[in-house]
Amino acid sequence: MNQQILPHQVLDNTLYVPISIPAFSAIKLQWRSPISNQKITHQLPKLSCEELTDYLQLENQFLIVTICKRTGCISQITDKRYNHQLLRSPIMWQFFQDQGQYWDAWNIAPQYAKYLLSSAELINLAVDTVGCLIVRIIANLKFQSSTIRQEIQLNCFDPWLTVWHEVDWQEVHILAKVMFPLSFTTDYATYEIPMGTIKRSTRDPAKWEVPAQFWADMSSHYIGLAVLNDAKYGYSAKPDLLCLTALRSPQWPCPNSDRNLHKFSYRLVPHSGSWQNAQIACLAHEFNSPLLLLNTSFSPEQFAQSMLTVSSSNIILSCWKQSWDKESWIIRFYEAYGCTANPFIAFAQELKLESVNLCDLLETSLEQIPINHLENSFCVNFKPHEIKTFRVNFAVSKGTTPH
């Protein structure tokens, strides 16, 4: 394998390295002491943090992000690619009285917005890290008996902003939301649901709180903003506002529920045009499935090629597991973008296909799928939002994979 000297940065327990790794593959990294005559061969894109009178300004090749020094809030996100300003006012935490519902832990009052409480107070704001790959700003906030640590990160390679939170939540009957006031309006918001999406009106008062999984998106004809998250599943929306429900504090049926330390993050992805063209579903799955860094003697050369390749980006793998009878492997895909697809699904040569059968959710084979043995692949058609499950056997011991 070719060896390269890579720039890197370590923040807390995370190693940042500018490498591209195909899905279902591995790469070997070696940590060595620097040698004086060795030079890093990578030319890194622009990344800066500038302190202005009232703001901190972060900038990479795609975005300019301003942070208010008085409140610690993200005041504006400018997408340099399209000259779009995404926000009409700062991104803020807002808190509401949250009680009086019969099902305390499940229901949010339809009129909760009438009971807005005071804002969180900024304790301190600091430029924590300005590195070659990552810039990080830390804001510490206090609301009543709770504290919020907010880490705002911009890296040099990507057109998005990531915000990490650590919240010591000690409130009673209070609802906390993160508000994203948008500079544009739209009649609909799109949310991820299990193995698909749903488009909901932003003008329907009956939808004051809706569920979603990894992401929500609001887009007009020319501008859009997606909010990806790794641990929160409630949203609300108005034509120019998207809100992420972060915390509640009900008393029934479990007294003092949610009172503890919470860690979660969201990622803001500005884009032009539709969420499908911006690959939002794929970005959200990547955000929720970070790379694993292992200290091991395992040699990854045999998996430098991806173990599994799918030719269509709108076809997403949701399951790869042993069959219930341990005779085969069950592999499930779904179409994520609401359009047809005819993907080639290929495996690494180490995983020689022996048979592929379309099956139902009980793992009963329904139809044999032809295999292209030369390419070690098969091809199938997907309708919009279709889910397909396959029972696969490889030319190795059944129920096992090569080591």
Side-chain angles (χ1 to χ4, degrees), residues 341-362:
N342 186 29
F344 287 92
I345 299 171
F347 294 84
Q349 292 300 320
E350 291 84 359
L351 300 175
K352 282 291 185 182
L353 286 172
E354 184 177 82
S355 65
V356 178
N357 285 273
L358 183 69
C359 68
D360 59 21
L361 294 181
L362 296 178

Side-chain angles (χ1 to χ4, degrees), residues 278-341:
Q279 302 285 308
I280 295 303
C282 292
L283 292 176
H285 279 262
E286 289 174 5
F287 184 46
N288 280 270
S289 303
L291 292 173
L292 298 178
L293 184 63
L294 303 176
N295 185 9
T296 176
S297 59
F298 166 71
S299 178
E301 280 79 0
Q302 61 177 317
F303 292 127
Q305 175 192 358
S306 179
M307 294 174 62
L308 173 66
T309 304
V310 182
S311 63
S312 300
S313 61
N314 58 319
I315 303 301
I316 294 181
L317 175 73
S318 71
C319 169
W320 186 339
K321 69 179 186 71
Q322 276 191 321
S323 59
W324 69 269
D325 57 11
K326 298 187 179 180
E327 292 292 319
S328 307
W329 292 93
I330 301 300
I331 301 178
R332 184 172 297 123
F333 300 91
Y334 68 94
E335 195 288 310
Y337 290 177
C339 55
T340 59

Side-chain angles (χ1 to χ4, degrees), residues 45 47 52 121 128 180 204 219 256 315 324 335 354 362 379 384 390:
L47 180 65
L52 307 176
E121 175 190 358
D128 177 70
F180 306 96
D204 185 351
S219 304
N256 299 318
I315 303 301
W324 69 269
E335 195 288 310
E354 184 177 82
L362 296 178
C379 183
F390 302 95

Side-chain angles (χ1 to χ4, degrees), residues 245-257:
T245 301
L247 293 161
R248 298 185 67 220
S249 43
Q251 288 289 91
W252 185 87
C254 178
N256 299 318
S257 61

